[in-house]
Structures are given as structure tokens and as C-alpha cells.
């Protein structure tokens, strides 16, 4: 099988750039194009809710590569021009500006789009956080505000709440779960997260749904809960999850089901692959499809996609991994722990805020969580690798 003469990567963030770099690293010399919806050069997203939002980093520091490295990639970057359609048979991508881009191989790396609650539509002062521009707009508002309400108690909501408290704002977190990340990490770890946020002054109003965002003169002034309680706010952040960015693929004949559905090789159709947050691929060890939204997956999956474009026959069977920094806590999560798994502290002591928890179900290790014990958690990830059938372990 010969290498394709041209590869078009739709999406110029971490997953897309990593795919392009892996292709060049593996000897690909054909035409390489990266199409990006944003006008910015490829940048890293994890710092957005922390260092950039806090004002500790200038936006340029988030760039994934310096200009020289991007130039040496010998790729054409078409930025600020979102994809709006795909002819999967001919492998032609149409863009918002009217371009028609044809390639032998197309890689879909369009990521996810933040969900927005329908309540309070049209009010100013209501934000989501996904892009660099989102972060800069929110940071500007927080500099003039005193009261923030975060809707959502997941990873992003928790990180935004922690950052805003560090800036001195009064912060309230609202969500249906009993504690931050309860549905993902179970009562032991999520309970510690609730304690952590409460100790740092975050007001937790959990176990509730939002009924309405209220405002005056077109600007948000508060949030009304299903209980009838009205909470005042200067700014509201919606951190209620995200959806795969696949609207542009609706007429493509690709299989779309909470992402671009792929086989174990991350192939969605002949000559078409998906990578990163948008990809739902078949995980052979689990016997089901999986979609992951994290930085590590974007990079690791790109290596497999690039290899398979160049004729390899590699399956992608990783140990899922993500991390989060909140206040003085660094947490690493390996595997896919569930709230109702059996959780056992295997190292350290939760009362001292340094510990490792092992999650098990039916005699199989489903997850390892390290709380301020990164080395110990990393050493134990091999226990999770047995469950996921992973030959290669994630980088920390």
C-alpha cells in the first residue's frame, strides 16, 4: 500500500497538530493541510481554565509549537475557516468561505462544542469556556465582577470555580450531583473535592437544577433553581458538558453517534479517520465503543491514526487518563472508575490529602486515582492496564 499523496486534517488543535507531526515523523512527504475553525495557531486547552483565566499566562504561552516548528512541518495551515460539509466518497471538504478541499485521506479532528442551557438565552454576562477567545472574554468580565456562579460540577466547572476563588471572587457552584465529579469518581473522592472547595470558600449548592437565568436590561443578574431559590450573580459560566462537533458531517454518510464512529483502527470510512474528542472508536479490550475528552488521548490517538494512514494495522486500546489541578490539589485519574465501583485507599491517607484509591468491579481493576501522589498513582497504573489490554501505558 502506497502512502496517500495528500492528507487533509480538519481541526488544528492538539489532536490535529499531533496527527500532522506524527505523519512527518514517520516519513510522510506528501501534501499536508490543516484546516482550523479558529484564527489562532494551534494552542493548548488545559491551561485555559487555570493559568490563562487567572492571568498568570499570556495567551501566547499556550501555543503548542513556536512559529519555526510549524514552518518546519511543511504543512499548509488554513485557519479561521470552519468546515461545513464533507463528501466522504470523494473526500472533499467544503468550508465556510466557499473552499472545496480534496485529499486522498481526511482526518476529522474537530473536537467538541460546549453545551448551552436554553434558559437565559440572549443575556450578556453568560459564558462558556472552550476556546482561547472564550477564556479572554471571561477573564475580562471577572476582572470587573465580584460574584460568579458556575453551572456544572464536573472537571471544567470545578477548575473555573477554583481559579475564580483564587482571584478573590465570591463563587457559587450549582449542579445536580451531590458533590463535584460524583458520577465519575464516586463518594470517597468527590466528597474530598467538596471539602476542598468548601474550605476555600466556594459555596456548593448541589443536588439542584437550574430553572431560569434572570436578568435586568439584557444582562444576567442571577440564577433561579428548581427549589425556587434565587442566587445573585454578576457573571455566570455554563460548564455543563460538551457535544462532539459533528454538525458539519450530517450529510456525509459517516456514522454519527455521540461522535464519529470508527473501528478499532480509528477509521470511519475508506480514507477517513477521526481523532481526539470527536472520535468514538471501538476499544477491543472493552468490547465497546469509547469516546474520550482529554489532552492525553488527543496526542496518543494521533500516533495510531498517523501510523495507520501510512499503512500500519494498529488498534488503539489505551488506558484512559486525565488530570486536574484545583487549588493546591493535583489529581491523576487512570482508567474509567465508576461511582458504584468498590473503592479502596491503597496508599496514603485521605485525611492528610495525599492518597491513592483503587477502583474494582467483579475482580477487575477499573481505575486508579492519585490525590497529590502522582508518582505512586503512575506506578499503579499497570494494574489498570491489565483490564484495558493496553500494551503501552499513558504518559503522565
Amino acid at each position: 500500500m502506497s502512502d496517500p499523496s495528500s492528507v487533509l486534517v480538519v481541526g488544528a488543535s492538539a489532536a490535529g497538530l499531533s496527527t500532522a507531526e506524527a505523519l512527518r515523523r514517520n516519513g510522510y512527504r506528501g501534501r499536508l493541510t490543516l484546516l482550523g475553525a479558529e484564527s489562532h495557531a494551534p494552542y493548548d486547552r488545559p491551561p485555559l481554565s487555570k493559568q490563562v483565566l487567572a492571568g498568570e499566562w499570556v495567551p501566547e504561552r499556550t501555543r503548542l509549537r513556536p512559529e519555526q516548528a510549524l514552518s518546519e512541518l511543511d504543512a499548509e495551515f488554513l485557519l479561521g475557516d470552519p468546515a461545513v460539509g464533507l463528501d466522504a466518497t470523494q473526500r472533499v471538504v467544503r468550508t465556510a468561505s466557499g473552499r472545496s478541499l480534496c485529499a486522498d485521506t481526511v482526518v476529522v479532528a474537530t473536537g467538541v462544542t460546549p453545551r448551552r442551557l436554553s434558559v437565559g438565552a440572549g443575556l450578556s454576562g453568560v459564558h462558556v469556556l472552550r476556546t482561547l477567545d472564550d477564556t479572554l472574554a471571561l477573564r475580562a468580565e471577572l476582572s470587573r465582577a465580584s460574584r460568579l456562579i458556575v453551572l456544572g460540577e464536573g472537571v471544567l466547572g470545578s477548575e473555573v470555580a477554583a481559579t475564580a476563588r483564587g482571584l478573590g471572587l465570591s463563587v457559587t457552584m450549582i449542579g445536580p450531583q451531590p458533590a463535584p465529579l460524583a458520577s465519575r469518581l464516586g463518594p470517597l473522592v468527590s466528597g474530598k473535592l467538596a471539602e476542598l472547595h468548601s474550605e476555600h470558600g466556594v459555596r456548593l449548592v448541589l443536588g439542584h437544577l437550574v430553572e431560569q437565568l434572570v436578568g435586568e436590561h439584557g444582562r444576567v443578574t442571577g440564577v433561579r433553581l428548581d427549589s425556587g431559590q434565587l442566587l445573585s450573580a454578576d457573571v455566570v459560566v455554563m460548564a455543563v458538558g460538551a457535544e462532539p462537533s459533528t454538525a458539519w458531517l450530517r450529510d456525509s454518510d459517516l456514522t454519527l453517534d455521540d461522535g464519529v464512529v470508527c473501528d478499532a483502527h480509528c477509521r470511519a470510512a475508506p480514507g477517513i479517520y477521526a481523532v481526539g474528542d470527536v472520535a468514538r472508536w471501538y476499544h477491543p479490550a472493552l468490547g465497546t465503543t469509547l469516546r474520550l475528552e482529554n489532552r492525553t488521548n488527543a496526542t496518543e490517538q494521533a500516533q495510531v491514526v498517523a501510523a495507520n494512514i501510512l499503512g500500519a494495522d494498529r488498534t488503539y486500546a489505551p488506558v484512559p487518563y486525565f488530570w486536574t489541578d484545583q487549588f493546591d490539589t493535583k489529581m491523576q485519574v487512570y482508567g474509567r472508575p465508576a461511582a458504584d465501583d468498590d473503592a479502596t485507599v491503597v496508599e496514603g491517607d485521605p485525611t492528610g490529602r495525599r492518597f491513592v484509591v483503587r477502583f474494582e468491579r467483579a475482580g477487575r481493576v477499573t481505575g486508579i486515582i492519585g490525590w497529590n501522589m502522582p508518582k505512586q498513582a503512575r506506578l499503579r497504573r499497570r494494574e489498570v492496564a491489565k483490564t484495558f489490554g493496553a500494551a503501552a501505558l499513558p504518559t503522565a
Side-chain angles (χ1 to χ4, degrees), residues 261-280:
V261 179
C262 303
D263 61 17
H265 307 279
C266 306
R267 185 183 299 108
I272 299 178
Y273 296 80
V275 62
D277 297 357
V278 75
R280 172 170 290 279

Side-chain angles (χ1 to χ4, degrees), residues 53 134-145:
L53 185 60
D134 291 338
T135 303
L136 297 179
L138 176 59
R139 190 173 82 183
E141 290 240 52
L142 293 184
S143 69
R144 302 185 295 268

Side-chain angles (χ1 to χ4, degrees), residues 271-352:
I272 299 178
Y273 296 80
V275 62
D277 297 357
V278 75
R280 172 170 290 279
W281 87 100
Y282 181 79
H283 194 299
L286 299 180
T288 188
T289 57
L290 192 63
R291 187 175 69 82
L292 299 176
E293 294 179 22
N294 61 69
R295 178 69 168 79
T296 302
N297 176 68
T299 303
E300 295 185 341
Q301 194 171 32
Q303 314 310 307
V304 173
V305 167
N308 289 340
I309 289 173
L310 299 181
D313 191 34
R314 291 176 56 183
T315 58
Y316 184 53
V319 174
Y321 167 73
F322 74 90
W323 76 93
T324 178
D325 297 336
Q326 300 174 34
F327 299 110
D328 56 355
T329 294
K330 294 183 179 293
M331 188 163 57
Q332 290 80 26
V333 181
Y334 297 95
R336 299 196 80 202
D340 57 351
D341 288 348
D342 295 326
T344 305
V345 177
V346 292
E347 292 195 48
D349 182 359
T351 61

Side-chain angles (χ1 to χ4, degrees), residues 143-159:
S143 69
R144 302 185 295 268
S146 61
R147 300 167 301 177
L148 169 69
I149 289 181
V150 178
L151 306 182
E153 68 295 80
V155 173
L156 178 60
S158 298
E159 290 182 350

Side-chain angles (χ1 to χ4, degrees), residues 49-353:
S49 58
K50 299 179 282 288
Q51 295 93 336
V52 178
L53 185 60
E56 298 169 356
W57 284 19
V58 296
E60 290 74 21
R61 191 170 173 182
T62 65
R63 292 190 60 165
L64 287 168
R65 300 291 181 269
E67 190 63 41
Q68 179 65 26
L70 295 180
S71 177
E72 292 173 355
L73 190 60
D74 189 23
E76 183 180 14
F77 286 84
L78 303 176
L79 303 178
D81 193 8
V84 297
L86 168 67
D87 181 332
T89 302
Q90 299 298 320
R91 293 184 288 281
V92 175
V93 172
R94 292 180 291 106
T95 77
S97 71
R99 289 185 174 107
S100 289
L101 305 173
C102 183
D104 290 339
T105 299
V106 173
V107 180
V108 178
T110 44
V112 294
T113 302
R115 293 192 184 99
R116 293 177 182 265
L117 300 178
S118 59
V119 294
L123 290 174
S124 63
V126 180
H127 294 258
V128 294
L129 197 157
R130 172 66 181 175
T131 68
L132 179 57
D133 289 341
D134 291 338
T135 303
L136 297 179
L138 176 59
R139 190 173 82 183
E141 290 240 52
L142 293 184
S143 69
R144 302 185 295 268
S146 61
R147 300 167 301 177
L148 169 69
I149 289 181
V150 178
L151 306 182
E153 68 295 80
V155 173
L156 178 60
S158 298
E159 290 182 350
V160 169
T163 300
R165 275 303 295 148
L167 293 172
L169 278 80
S170 170
V171 179
T172 300
M173 182 191 297
I174 299 173
Q177 299 184 62
L181 282 88
S183 64
R184 296 187 69 177
L185 307 183
L188 192 159
V189 178
S190 68
K192 286 298 174 185
L193 277 173
E195 290 179 11
L196 178 71
H197 279 262
S198 295
E199 289 172 3
H200 283 83
V202 176
R203 181 186 181 189
L204 301 178
V205 184
L206 302 178
H208 289 282
L209 298 174
V210 174
E211 183 178 277
Q212 183 183 10
L213 268 60
V214 299
E216 294 180 2
H217 309 296
R219 183 173 180 85
V220 71
T221 58
V223 175
R224 191 182 305 280
L225 304 181
D226 53 2
S227 64
Q229 184 180 11
L230 178 62
L231 304 175
S232 298
D234 303 313
V235 180
V236 172
V237 173
M238 292 184 178
V240 291
E243 298 176 349
S245 300
T246 57
W248 67 285
L249 296 169
R250 284 175 185 157
D251 298 325
S252 67
D253 290 331
L254 297 182
T255 301
L256 306 178
D257 182 10
D258 186 34
V260 178
V261 179
C262 303
D263 61 17
H265 307 279
C266 306
R267 185 183 299 108
I272 299 178
Y273 296 80
V275 62
D277 297 357
V278 75
R280 172 170 290 279
W281 87 100
Y282 181 79
H283 194 299
L286 299 180
T288 188
T289 57
L290 192 63
R291 187 175 69 82
L292 299 176
E293 294 179 22
N294 61 69
R295 178 69 168 79
T296 302
N297 176 68
T299 303
E300 295 185 341
Q301 194 171 32
Q303 314 310 307
V304 173
V305 167
N308 289 340
I309 289 173
L310 299 181
D313 191 34
R314 291 176 56 183
T315 58
Y316 184 53
V319 174
Y321 167 73
F322 74 90
W323 76 93
T324 178
D325 297 336
Q326 300 174 34
F327 299 110
D328 56 355
T329 294
K330 294 183 179 293
M331 188 163 57
Q332 290 80 26
V333 181
Y334 297 95
R336 299 196 80 202
D340 57 351
D341 288 348
D342 295 326
T344 305
V345 177
V346 292
E347 292 195 48
D349 182 359
T351 61
R353 300 284 171 83

